[in-house]
Amino acid sequence: MTLYWRIFLLNAAVFAVAVLLLLGPVTVSTPVLLGEAIVLGLGLAAMLVANAVLLRVALAPLARLARAMASVDLLRPGSRAPVEGPGEMAELTTSFNAMLARLEAERATSSARALSAQEAERRRIAQELHDEVGQTLTAVLLQLKHTADRAPGPLREELHQVQETTRASLDEIRRIARRLRPGVLEELGLHSALRALAAEFSTPSLIVRHRIAPGLPTLDEARELVVYRVAQEALTNAARHARASEVEVRLSHRPAGAVRLLVRDNGAGLGPAAEGAGIQGMRERALLIGAGLALDPAPHGGTDVRLDVPADGGTRRREAHR
């Protein structure tokens, strides 16, 4: 039975009962007596209450479906509306679930293309920074040294300061290039890359510790890159936004051969603000490999970023310096 006929028959039943009562024990005089008016008023109230209750029961599956639609988040896939209700209500819920599955698949595909293009662009920019800008600054440093060696005393000191500034700029460009294209990840593997990442973010005001369990399951290149990028983004958030003084990067075993990355800081915590582009980027990367990403308050303040990566059963090169 369609929703239209269900509502129509419910209202028809209420009106039929009212007519039967008027034909039976309830009568109306002209003019209407006080007692008859009270009975009619009570009957009208009873009709409205009965109609409201019956309609609420009939439309309850539609209200639950609307709440499920409002809570959908494509960055947290897997949630589906329960299929309930008769006829077209069940069909509507089934169609919504099918549409949601298609949207999740299309978003995963488009995100994979976008992130692949982003990684390719990062590699290109890193290569240009290293080959073009880096070599140019190296040549400038050599020329400054040559000029400083021949310059008089006061000018030589100024040229030395320019040399130090240029050398600092060259170091910063190399650091940016390493972040854009993690060469240590490609050459030495995930474990060494995480250690290098922890060392890179360590400063006098930020202590970054790393703890990597021995004998972890092997991950393919795509999973390794996602783990590295999530750790990099979590460390960036802890250093720039959370005002943390200590961060721990932990890579450990999980059941069924899975691997967990945990980045725990003692900073300001998540707060009420909406998730930014960095956290959404982490969620999209996690979706690409079927990993679970969770951001929760840390036990003693701060934030826990957890990435649970399923095992792929693949093989790859041995980790260096395990």
Side-chain angles (χ1 to χ4, degrees), residues 62-287:
L62 187 60
R64 286 191 288 270
L65 178 60
R67 289 194 295 270
M69 290 179 174
S71 63
V72 165
D73 186 355
L74 294 180
L75 290 177
R76 297 175 176 85
S79 62
R80 296 291 184 269
V83 179
E84 56 185 358
E88 63 187 10
M89 286 301 304
E91 294 178 3
L92 179 62
T93 306
T94 302
S95 299
F96 169 73
N97 288 338
M99 179 192 69
L100 191 57
R102 289 195 302 270
L103 288 175
E104 290 175 355
E106 291 172 1
R107 182 181 181 104
T109 302
S110 61
S111 296
R113 288 196 297 263
L115 290 175
S116 177
Q118 183 185 82
E119 289 297 333
E121 186 67 11
R122 285 184 172 187
R123 286 194 295 270
R124 185 188 67 80
I125 294 175
Q127 191 69 30
E128 290 185 358
L129 286 175
H130 182 271
D131 294 344
E132 302 296 334
V133 182
Q135 291 181 7
T136 300
L137 287 179
T138 301
V140 170
L141 278 174
L142 294 175
Q143 189 172 1
L144 283 172
K145 183 179 183 304
H146 180 74
T147 305
D149 291 340
R150 298 184 175 185
L155 182 58
R156 183 183 307 158
E157 184 62 28
E158 293 182 7
L159 289 174
H160 284 321
Q161 293 179 1
V162 175
Q163 277 184 280
E164 292 303 318
T165 303
T166 306
R167 186 175 290 107
S169 300
L170 180 59
D171 292 339
E172 180 67 15
I173 287 174
R174 288 172 176 169
R175 185 185 63 82
I176 294 173
R178 285 196 303 270
R179 288 194 178 184
L180 290 173
R181 181 176 178 267
V184 65
L185 178 63
E186 300 174 358
E187 297 168 4
L188 301 179
L190 179 61
H191 297 185
S192 298
L194 289 179
R195 293 188 185 99
L197 193 64
E200 180 181 344
F201 276 89
S202 295
T203 63
S205 60
L206 179 62
I207 301 173
V208 182
R209 300 183 178 91
H210 57 80
R211 185 183 303 173
I212 300 175
L216 289 172
T218 57
L219 302 175
D220 60 18
E221 292 183 359
R223 286 171 167 80
E224 283 188 344
L225 183 59
V226 169
V227 172
Y228 181 86
R229 290 301 188 196
V230 169
Q232 186 181 48
E233 183 63 34
L235 286 170
T236 301
N237 289 339
R240 292 182 180 177
H241 308 300
R243 301 183 300 277
S245 60
E246 294 183 6
V247 183
E248 181 183 8
V249 180
R250 187 186 305 171
L251 200 63
S252 58
H253 297 270
R254 296 299 296 165
V259 174
R260 167 172 288 182
L261 170 72
L262 173 65
V263 181
R264 173 175 293 171
D265 66 65
N266 65 344
L270 296 172
E275 293 184 352
I279 295 178
Q280 292 181 358
M282 288 194 290
R283 294 194 183 281
E284 289 182 350
R285 290 182 183 278
L287 288 178

Side-chain angles (χ1 to χ4, degrees), residues 9-43:
L9 291 179
L10 287 175
N11 286 297
V14 172
F15 294 142
V17 170
V19 171
L20 290 176
L21 289 175
L22 288 175
L23 294 177
V26 179
T27 57
V28 180
S29 303
T30 304
V32 180
L33 301 177
L34 177 62
E36 294 174 344
I38 294 175
V39 170
L40 288 176
L42 293 176

